[in-house]
Amino acid sequence: MEESSLDSKEYKKYHCVKCGKTWGEGDDSYSYGLCLECFGDYINVKKVSKGQVPCFGTFNNNSEICNSCKWNKFCKEFYDKCKGE
Ligand SMILES: [Zn+2]
């Protein structure tokens, strides 16, 4: 049986450049990025500096603002994750 699935991509372990948290599984090849929490902080700081409401992480499916927000994909991910824990 052969399976050529796109799901078979290898997951790596990531380190957050800000808080040092790690996520992901697999080889620890010291890939760096911002974890979802630090990313959220970063976006909210940016929003405040533009005079906007720091609403990242409060995703609302029925909100026009949320659905047209350019961060909504990440916001939803953050929201879902925090809600699930
Ligand atoms: Zn972090």
Side-chain angles (χ1 to χ4, degrees):
M1 248 181 259
E2 267 184 54
E3 265 186 46
S4 54
S5 164
L6 288 172
D7 295 331
S8 64
K9 75 173 179 188
E10 277 179 48
Y11 287 98
K12 284 184 180 168
K13 197 167 184 176
Y14 288 91
H15 298 250
C16 178
V17 288
K18 209 173 161 193
C19 70
K21 185 179 151 183
T22 59
W23 71 95
E25 283 171 27
D27 286 346
D28 191 351
S29 53
Y30 290 90
S31 298
Y32 290 90
L34 279 176
C35 70
L36 210 50
E37 287 83 356
C38 292
F39 181 74
D41 287 348
Y42 171 73
I43 298 304
N44 276 336
V45 167
K46 254 183 112 154
K47 277 177 169 280
V48 169
S49 76
K50 286 181 181 174
Q52 298 169 345
V53 181
C55 58
F56 189 92
T58 58
F59 186 79
N60 178 350
N61 241 331
N62 302 312
S63 164
E64 279 281 308
I65 299 165
C66 288
N67 284 314
S68 63
C69 176
K70 65 174 176 174
W71 304 111
N72 67 4
K73 184 175 159 260
F74 298 103
C75 182
K76 188 180 185 307
E77 199 180 327
F78 184 91
Y79 178 76
D80 287 346
K81 198 182 157 213
C82 293
K83 223 177 128 193
E85 275 172 6

